[in-house]
Coordinates of all heavy atoms in Angstrom, one line a residue:
M205 N 85.0 118.4 101.5 CA 86.0 117.4 101.9 C 85.3 116.0 101.8 O 84.2 115.8 102.4 CB 86.5 117.7 103.3 CG 87.4 116.6 103.8 SD 88.1 117.2 105.4 CE 89.6 116.3 105.3
V206 N 85.9 115.1 101.2 CA 85.3 113.8 101.0 C 85.5 113.0 102.3 O 86.6 113.0 102.9 CB 86.0 113.0 99.9 CG1 85.5 111.6 99.8 CG2 85.8 113.7 98.6
E207 N 84.5 112.2 102.7 CA 84.6 111.3 103.8 C 84.4 109.9 103.3 O 83.6 109.7 102.3 CB 83.5 111.6 104.9 CG 83.8 112.9 105.6 CD 82.7 113.2 106.6 OE1 81.5 112.8 106.4 OE2 83.1 113.7 107.7
Y208 N 85.0 108.9 103.9 CA 84.9 107.5 103.5 C 84.2 106.7 104.6 O 84.4 106.9 105.8 CB 86.3 106.9 103.2 CG 87.0 107.6 102.1 CD1 87.8 108.7 102.3 CD2 86.7 107.2 100.8 CE1 88.4 109.4 101.2 CE2 87.4 107.9 99.7 CZ 88.2 109.0 99.9 OH 88.7 109.6 98.9
W209 N 83.4 105.8 104.2 CA 82.6 105.0 105.1 C 82.7 103.5 104.7 O 82.8 103.2 103.5 CB 81.1 105.4 105.0 CG 80.8 106.8 105.4 CD1 81.1 107.9 104.6 CD2 80.3 107.3 106.6 NE1 80.7 109.0 105.3 CE2 80.3 108.7 106.5 CE3 79.9 106.6 107.8 CZ2 79.8 109.5 107.5 CZ3 79.5 107.4 108.8 CH2 79.4 108.8 108.7
Y210 N 82.7 102.6 105.7 CA 82.7 101.2 105.4 C 81.3 100.6 105.6 O 80.7 100.8 106.6 CB 83.7 100.5 106.4 CG 83.8 99.0 106.1 CD1 84.6 98.5 105.1 CD2 83.0 98.1 106.8 CE1 84.7 97.2 104.8 CE2 83.1 96.7 106.5 CZ 83.9 96.3 105.5 OH 84.0 94.9 105.2
N211 N 80.8 100.0 104.5 CA 79.5 99.4 104.5 C 79.6 98.0 105.0 O 80.2 97.1 104.4 CB 78.9 99.5 103.1 CG 77.4 99.0 103.1 OD1 77.0 98.0 103.7 ND2 76.6 99.8 102.4
V212 N 78.9 97.7 106.2 CA 79.0 96.3 106.8 C 78.2 95.3 106.1 O 78.3 94.1 106.2 CB 78.7 96.4 108.3 CG1 79.7 97.2 109.0 CG2 77.3 96.9 108.5
R213 N 77.2 95.8 105.2 CA 76.4 94.8 104.5 C 77.1 94.4 103.2 O 77.2 93.3 102.9 CB 75.0 95.5 104.2 CG 74.0 94.5 103.5 CD 72.7 95.1 103.3 NE 72.7 96.4 102.5 CZ 72.8 96.4 101.2 NH1 72.9 95.3 100.5 NH2 72.9 97.6 100.6
T214 N 77.6 95.4 102.5 CA 78.3 95.1 101.2 C 79.8 94.8 101.3 O 80.4 94.4 100.3 CB 78.1 96.3 100.2 OG1 78.8 97.4 100.7 CG2 76.6 96.6 100.0
H215 N 80.4 95.2 102.4 CA 81.8 95.1 102.7 C 82.6 96.0 101.7 O 83.7 95.6 101.3 CB 82.3 93.7 102.6 CG 81.5 92.8 103.6 ND1 81.8 92.8 105.0 CD2 80.5 92.0 103.5 CE1 81.0 92.0 105.6 NE2 80.2 91.5 104.7
E216 N 82.0 97.1 101.3 CA 82.7 98.0 100.4 C 82.8 99.4 101.0 O 82.1 99.8 101.9 CB 81.9 98.1 99.1 CG 81.8 96.9 98.3 CD 81.0 97.0 97.0 OE1 80.4 98.1 96.8 OE2 81.0 96.0 96.3
V217 N 83.8 100.1 100.6 CA 84.0 101.5 101.0 C 83.2 102.4 100.1 O 83.2 102.3 98.9 CB 85.5 101.9 100.9 CG1 85.7 103.4 101.3 CG2 86.3 101.0 101.9
E218 N 82.5 103.4 100.8 CA 81.7 104.4 100.1 C 82.3 105.8 100.3 O 82.8 106.1 101.4 CB 80.3 104.4 100.6 CG 79.6 103.1 100.4 CD 78.1 103.1 100.9 OE1 77.7 104.2 101.3 OE2 77.5 102.1 100.9
E219 N 82.2 106.6 99.3 CA 82.6 108.0 99.4 C 81.3 108.7 99.7 O 80.3 108.6 99.1 CB 83.1 108.5 98.1 CG 84.6 108.2 97.9 CD 85.1 108.9 96.7 OE1 84.7 110.0 96.3 OE2 86.0 108.3 96.0
D220 N 81.4 109.6 100.8 CA 80.3 110.4 101.2 C 79.0 109.7 101.5 O 77.9 110.0 100.9 CB 80.1 111.5 100.2 CG 81.3 112.5 100.1 OD1 81.9 112.7 101.2 OD2 81.5 113.0 99.0
A221 N 79.0 108.7 102.3 CA 77.9 107.9 102.8 C 76.7 107.8 101.9 O 75.8 108.7 101.9 CB 77.4 108.6 104.1
Q222 N 76.7 106.8 101.0 CA 75.7 106.6 100.0 C 74.5 105.7 100.6 O 73.5 105.7 100.0 CB 76.3 106.1 98.8 CG 77.3 107.0 98.2 CD 78.1 106.4 97.0 OE1 77.7 105.3 96.5 NE2 79.2 107.0 96.7
S223 N 74.8 105.0 101.6 CA 73.8 104.0 102.1 C 73.3 104.5 103.5 O 73.7 105.5 104.0 CB 74.5 102.6 102.4 OG 75.0 102.1 101.1
D224 N 72.3 103.8 104.0 CA 71.7 104.1 105.2 C 72.8 104.0 106.3 O 73.6 103.1 106.4 CB 70.6 103.0 105.5 CG 69.8 103.3 106.8 OD1 70.4 103.4 107.8 OD2 68.6 103.4 106.7
Y225 N 72.7 104.9 107.2 CA 73.8 105.0 108.3 C 73.8 103.8 109.2 O 74.8 103.6 109.9 CB 73.6 106.3 109.1 CG 74.1 107.5 108.3 CD1 73.2 108.4 107.7 CD2 75.4 107.8 108.3 CE1 73.7 109.5 107.0 CE2 75.9 108.9 107.6 CZ 75.0 109.8 107.0 OH 75.5 110.8 106.3
T226 N 72.7 103.0 109.2 CA 72.7 101.8 110.1 C 73.6 100.8 109.5 O 73.9 99.8 110.2 CB 71.3 101.3 110.2 OG1 70.8 100.9 109.0 CG2 70.3 102.3 110.9
Q227 N 74.1 100.9 108.3 CA 74.9 99.9 107.6 C 76.4 100.4 107.5 O 77.2 99.7 106.9 CB 74.4 99.6 106.2 CG 73.0 99.1 106.2 CD 72.4 99.0 104.8 OE1 73.0 99.4 103.9 NE2 71.2 98.6 104.7
L228 N 76.7 101.6 108.1 CA 78.0 102.2 107.8 C 78.8 102.4 109.1 O 78.2 102.6 110.2 CB 77.8 103.6 107.2 CG 77.1 103.6 105.9 CD1 76.9 105.1 105.4 CD2 77.8 102.8 104.8
I229 N 80.1 102.3 109.0 CA 81.1 102.6 110.0 C 81.9 103.7 109.5 O 82.4 103.7 108.4 CB 82.0 101.4 110.3 CG1 81.2 100.2 110.8 CG2 83.0 101.8 111.4 CD1 82.0 98.9 110.9
G230 N 82.0 104.7 110.3 CA 82.8 105.9 109.9 C 82.3 107.2 110.4 O 81.5 107.1 111.4
P231 N 82.7 108.3 109.9 CA 83.5 108.5 108.7 C 85.0 108.4 109.0 O 85.5 108.5 110.1 CB 83.2 109.9 108.3 CG 82.9 110.6 109.6 CD 82.3 109.5 110.5
Y232 N 85.7 108.1 107.9 CA 87.2 108.1 107.9 C 87.7 109.1 106.9 O 87.1 109.5 105.9 CB 87.7 106.7 107.5 CG 87.3 105.6 108.5 CD1 86.1 104.9 108.3 CD2 88.0 105.4 109.6 CE1 85.7 103.9 109.2 CE2 87.6 104.4 110.5 CZ 86.5 103.7 110.3 OH 86.1 102.7 111.2
K233 N 88.9 109.6 107.2 CA 89.5 110.6 106.3 C 90.1 110.0 105.0 O 90.2 110.8 104.0 CB 90.7 111.3 107.1 CG 90.2 112.2 108.2 CD 91.3 112.9 108.9 CE 90.8 113.6 110.1 NZ 91.9 114.3 110.8
T234 N 90.5 108.8 105.0 CA 91.0 108.2 103.8 C 90.4 106.8 103.5 O 89.8 106.2 104.4 CB 92.6 107.9 104.0 OG1 92.7 106.9 105.0 CG2 93.3 109.1 104.4
R235 N 90.5 106.5 102.3 CA 89.9 105.2 101.8 C 90.6 104.0 102.5 O 90.0 103.1 103.0 CB 90.1 105.0 100.3 CG 89.6 103.7 99.8 CD 89.6 103.6 98.3 NE 88.6 104.5 97.7 CZ 87.3 104.1 97.6 NH1 86.9 102.9 97.9 NH2 86.4 104.9 97.0
A236 N 91.9 104.2 102.7 CA 92.7 103.1 103.4 C 92.2 102.9 104.8 O 92.1 101.7 105.3 CB 94.2 103.5 103.4
E237 N 91.9 104.0 105.6 CA 91.4 103.8 106.9 C 90.1 103.1 106.9 O 89.8 102.2 107.7 CB 91.2 105.2 107.6 CG 92.5 105.9 108.0 CD 92.2 107.2 108.6 OE1 91.5 108.0 108.0 OE2 92.8 107.5 109.7
A238 N 89.2 103.5 106.0 CA 87.9 102.8 105.9 C 88.0 101.4 105.5 O 87.2 100.5 106.0 CB 87.0 103.6 104.8
E239 N 88.9 101.0 104.7 CA 89.1 99.6 104.3 C 89.5 98.7 105.5 O 89.2 97.5 105.5 CB 90.2 99.5 103.2 CG 89.7 100.0 101.9 CD 90.8 100.1 100.9 OE1 92.0 100.0 101.2 OE2 90.5 100.3 99.7
K240 N 90.1 99.3 106.5 CA 90.5 98.6 107.7 C 89.5 98.8 108.9 O 89.8 98.4 110.0 CB 91.9 99.1 108.2 CG 93.0 98.8 107.2 CD 94.3 99.3 107.6 CE 95.3 98.9 106.6 NZ 96.7 99.3 107.0
A241 N 88.3 99.2 108.6 CA 87.3 99.5 109.6 C 87.0 98.3 110.5 O 86.9 98.4 111.7 CB 86.0 100.0 109.0
L242 N 86.8 97.1 109.9 CA 86.5 95.9 110.7 C 87.6 95.5 111.6 O 87.4 95.0 112.7 CB 86.0 94.8 109.8 CG 84.7 94.9 109.1 CD1 84.3 93.7 108.3 CD2 83.6 95.2 110.2
E243 N 88.8 95.7 111.1 CA 90.0 95.3 111.9 C 90.0 96.2 113.2 O 90.3 95.7 114.3 CB 91.3 95.5 111.1 CG 91.5 94.5 110.0 CD 92.7 94.9 109.1 OE1 93.7 95.4 109.7 OE2 92.6 94.7 107.9
K244 N 89.7 97.5 113.0 CA 89.7 98.4 114.1 C 88.6 98.1 115.1 O 88.8 98.1 116.3 CB 89.5 99.8 113.6 CG 89.7 100.9 114.7 CD 90.1 102.2 114.1 CE 91.0 102.9 115.1 NZ 92.3 103.2 114.7
V245 N 87.4 97.7 114.6 CA 86.3 97.3 115.5 C 86.7 96.0 116.3 O 86.5 96.0 117.5 CB 85.1 97.0 114.6 CG1 84.0 96.3 115.5 CG2 84.5 98.3 114.1
K246 N 87.4 95.1 115.6 CA 87.8 93.9 116.3 C 88.8 94.2 117.4 O 88.8 93.6 118.5 CB 88.3 92.8 115.4 CG 87.2 92.2 114.5 CD 87.8 91.1 113.6 CE 86.7 90.5 112.8 NZ 87.2 89.4 111.9
E247 N 89.8 95.1 117.1 CA 90.8 95.5 118.1 C 90.1 96.1 119.3 O 90.5 95.8 120.4 CB 91.7 96.5 117.5 CG 92.7 95.9 116.5 CD 93.5 97.0 115.8 OE1 93.6 98.2 116.3 OE2 94.1 96.7 114.7
R248 N 89.1 97.0 119.0 CA 88.4 97.7 120.2 C 87.6 96.6 121.0 O 87.6 96.8 122.2 CB 87.5 98.8 119.6 CG 88.4 99.9 119.1 CD 87.5 101.0 118.6 NE 88.3 102.1 118.1 CZ 87.8 103.1 117.4 NH1 86.6 103.1 116.9 NH2 88.6 104.1 117.0
N249 N 87.0 95.7 120.3 CA 86.3 94.6 121.0 C 87.2 93.8 121.9 O 86.9 93.6 123.1 CB 85.6 93.7 120.1 CG 84.4 94.2 119.4 OD1 83.9 95.3 119.8 ND2 83.8 93.6 118.4
R250 N 88.4 93.5 121.4 CA 89.3 92.7 122.3 C 89.8 93.6 123.4 O 90.0 93.0 124.5 CB 90.5 92.3 121.4 CG 90.2 91.1 120.5 CD 91.5 90.5 119.9 NE 92.1 91.5 119.0 CZ 91.8 91.5 117.7 NH1 91.0 90.6 117.1 NH2 92.4 92.3 116.9
A251 N 90.0 94.9 123.2 CA 90.5 95.7 124.3 C 89.4 95.9 125.4 O 89.7 95.9 126.6 CB 90.9 97.1 123.8
W252 N 88.2 95.9 125.0 CA 87.1 96.1 125.9 C 86.8 94.8 126.6 O 86.4 94.8 127.8 CB 85.8 96.6 125.1 CG 84.6 96.8 126.0 CD1 84.4 97.9 126.8 CD2 83.5 96.0 126.1 NE1 83.2 97.7 127.5 CE2 82.6 96.6 127.1 CE3 83.1 94.8 125.6 CZ2 81.4 96.0 127.4 CZ3 81.9 94.2 125.9 CH2 81.1 94.8 126.8
D253 N 86.9 93.7 125.9 CA 86.6 92.3 126.5 C 87.7 91.4 126.2 O 87.6 90.7 125.1 CB 85.2 91.8 126.0 CG 84.8 90.5 126.6 OD1 85.6 90.0 127.5 OD2 83.7 90.0 126.3
P254 N 88.7 91.3 127.0 CA 89.8 90.4 126.7 C 89.5 88.9 126.4 O 90.2 88.2 125.8 CB 90.8 90.5 127.9 CG 90.4 91.8 128.5 CD 88.9 92.0 128.2
S255 N 88.3 88.5 126.9 CA 87.9 87.1 126.7 C 87.4 86.9 125.3 O 87.1 85.8 124.9 CB 86.9 86.6 127.7 OG 85.6 87.4 127.6
D256 N 87.2 88.0 124.6 CA 86.7 87.9 123.2 C 88.0 87.8 122.3 O 88.4 88.8 121.6 CB 85.9 89.2 122.8 CG 85.4 89.2 121.4 OD1 85.4 88.1 120.7 OD2 85.0 90.3 121.0
A257 N 88.6 86.7 122.2 CA 89.9 86.5 121.6 C 89.9 86.8 120.1 O 90.9 87.4 119.6 CB 90.4 85.1 121.8
D258 N 88.8 86.6 119.4 CA 88.8 86.8 117.9 C 88.2 88.2 117.6 O 88.2 88.6 116.4 CB 88.2 85.7 117.2 CG 86.7 85.5 117.5 OD1 86.2 86.2 118.3 OD2 86.1 84.5 117.0
G259 N 87.7 88.9 118.6 CA 87.2 90.3 118.4 C 85.9 90.3 117.7 O 85.5 91.4 117.2
D260 N 85.1 89.2 117.7 CA 83.9 89.2 116.9 C 82.7 89.7 117.7 O 81.5 89.7 117.3 CB 83.6 87.8 116.3 CG 83.3 86.8 117.4 OD1 83.4 87.1 118.6 OD2 83.0 85.6 117.0
G261 N 82.9 90.1 119.0 CA 81.8 90.5 119.8 C 81.2 89.5 120.7 O 80.4 89.7 121.6
W262 N 81.7 88.2 120.6 CA 81.2 87.1 121.4 C 82.4 86.6 122.3 O 83.5 86.3 121.7 CB 80.7 85.9 120.6 CG 79.5 86.3 119.8 CD1 79.5 86.7 118.5 CD2 78.2 86.2 120.2 NE1 78.2 86.9 118.1 CE2 77.4 86.7 119.1 CE3 77.6 85.9 121.4 CZ2 76.0 86.8 119.2 CZ3 76.2 86.0 121.5 CH2 75.4 86.4 120.4
S263 N 82.2 86.6 123.6 CA 83.3 86.1 124.4 C 83.4 84.6 124.3 O 82.4 83.9 123.9 CB 83.2 86.6 125.8 OG 82.0 85.9 126.4
D264 N 84.5 84.1 124.8 CA 84.7 82.6 124.8 C 83.7 82.0 125.8 O 83.4 80.8 125.7 CB 86.1 82.3 125.2 CG 87.1 82.8 124.2 OD1 86.7 82.9 123.0 OD2 88.3 83.0 124.5
R265 N 83.1 82.7 126.6 CA 82.2 82.2 127.6 C 80.8 82.0 127.0 O 80.0 81.3 127.6 CB 82.1 83.2 128.8 CG 83.4 83.4 129.5 CD 83.2 84.5 130.5 NE 83.6 85.8 129.9 CZ 83.1 86.9 130.2 NH1 82.2 87.1 131.2 NH2 83.5 88.0 129.6
D266 N 80.5 82.7 126.0 CA 79.1 82.7 125.4 C 78.8 81.4 124.6 O 79.6 80.8 124.0 CB 78.9 83.9 124.5 CG 78.9 85.2 125.2 OD1 78.7 85.1 126.5 OD2 79.2 86.2 124.6

């Protein structure tokens, strides 16, 4: 079964983790899910820290 990964360095989707795992987010079942990996990370950041309005991991207080 193929897994898809989002590479945070290259900003590309990889099939079956071709890069170092420190550069990858995943695995995802579909390419479409992997393509939206950063959006999902930002959503989770906002949910965890509501003061992080843009979801980039930095609160407005920093």
Side-chain angles (χ1 to χ4, degrees):
M205 178 174 208
V206 175
E207 293 180 322
Y208 297 91
W209 300 77
Y210 182 82
N211 187 312
V212 297
R213 187 177 55 82
T214 65
H215 304 282
E216 295 179 357
V217 173
E218 298 182 5
E219 280 188 29
D220 294 327
Q222 299 170 16
S223 299
D224 186 302
Y225 284 100
T226 62
Q227 300 170 0
L228 300 175
I229 301 172
Y232 296 94
K233 292 180 182 180
T234 67
R235 176 173 290 278
E237 287 178 311
E239 288 171 348
K240 295 180 180 182
L242 287 184
E243 292 173 34
K244 187 155 212 118
V245 167
K246 287 181 180 184
E247 287 174 17
R248 289 179 179 165
N249 283 350
R250 283 190 294 269
W252 182 76
D253 183 2
S255 67
D256 181 16
D258 60 7
D260 67 356
W262 296 94
S263 69
D264 297 333
R265 301 172 268 153
D266 296 338

